[in-house]
Amino acid sequence: QVHLEESGGGSVQTGGSLRLTCAASVPSESKYCMCWFRQVSDKKREGVACIDSDYFATYAASVRGRFTISKDSANHKLYLQIYNLKPEDSAMYYCAAEDRMPICILGGISYVDFGSWGRGTQVTVSS
């Protein structure tokens, strides 16, 4: 397991932008699948974007074109840049990491596949 800590959430108006950051205690040479998930109350945790050890990024259809996932392996950071926020984007956002899946695509994984999670950062979008 690795330690993950999210930051960058907040309250914004519709159309606003945020950049979420996940600080990860992942060795630079490690190969991980890293993803951002979001969850509203007791609903199922939803994957929104993943990036694998080859820097291949995949996105949920609902966020494609508005969300960009990236990572800085040298500085152990995972990012989620969010543009044109909508009220339905309001959720707790979590980063997750898993070294058993160095190659991953969002459509082929589930939250149950990940062993390491941060505590989350809240994003609230008002209309």
Side-chain angles (χ1 to χ4, degrees), residues 3-71:
H3 179 74
L4 303 170
E5 185 170 351
E6 304 91 339
S7 62
S11 296
V12 298
Q13 292 188 328
T14 297
S17 301
L18 285 173
R19 188 174 83 155
L20 308 184
T21 299
C22 175
S25 64
V26 175
S28 299
E29 68 275 14
S30 298
K31 296 182 182 290
Y32 279 77
C33 171
M34 299 193 75
C35 296
W36 286 96
F37 288 79
R38 65 186 181 187
Q39 187 173 22
V40 178
S41 300
D42 294 332
K43 293 186 178 179
K44 183 180 177 181
R45 198 164 287 192
E46 171 195 23
V48 295
C50 291
I51 188 166
D52 67 16
S53 58
D54 286 345
Y55 289 78
F56 185 72
T58 48
Y59 299 90
S62 60
V63 307
R64 195 173 294 123
R66 299 187 299 118
F67 288 25
T68 301
I69 188 171
S70 62
K71 63 179 179 178

Side-chain angles (χ1 to χ4, degrees), residues 38-106:
R38 65 186 181 187
Q39 187 173 22
V40 178
S41 300
D42 294 332
K43 293 186 178 179
K44 183 180 177 181
R45 198 164 287 192
E46 171 195 23
V48 295
C50 291
I51 188 166
D52 67 16
S53 58
D54 286 345
Y55 289 78
F56 185 72
T58 48
Y59 299 90
S62 60
V63 307
R64 195 173 294 123
R66 299 187 299 118
F67 288 25
T68 301
I69 188 171
S70 62
K71 63 179 179 178
D72 179 351
S73 296
N75 292 300
H76 312 293
K77 296 286 178 65
L78 178 73
Y79 302 103
L80 187 68
Q81 179 68 54
I82 309 173
Y83 297 102
N84 190 22
L85 277 156
K86 303 176 181 181
E88 53 264 40
D89 294 321
S90 297
M92 185 71 80
Y93 283 72
Y94 299 90
C95 69
E98 181 54 58
D99 63 353
R100 294 176 299 170
M101 301 184 296
I103 303 298
C104 65
I105 57 172
L106 182 59

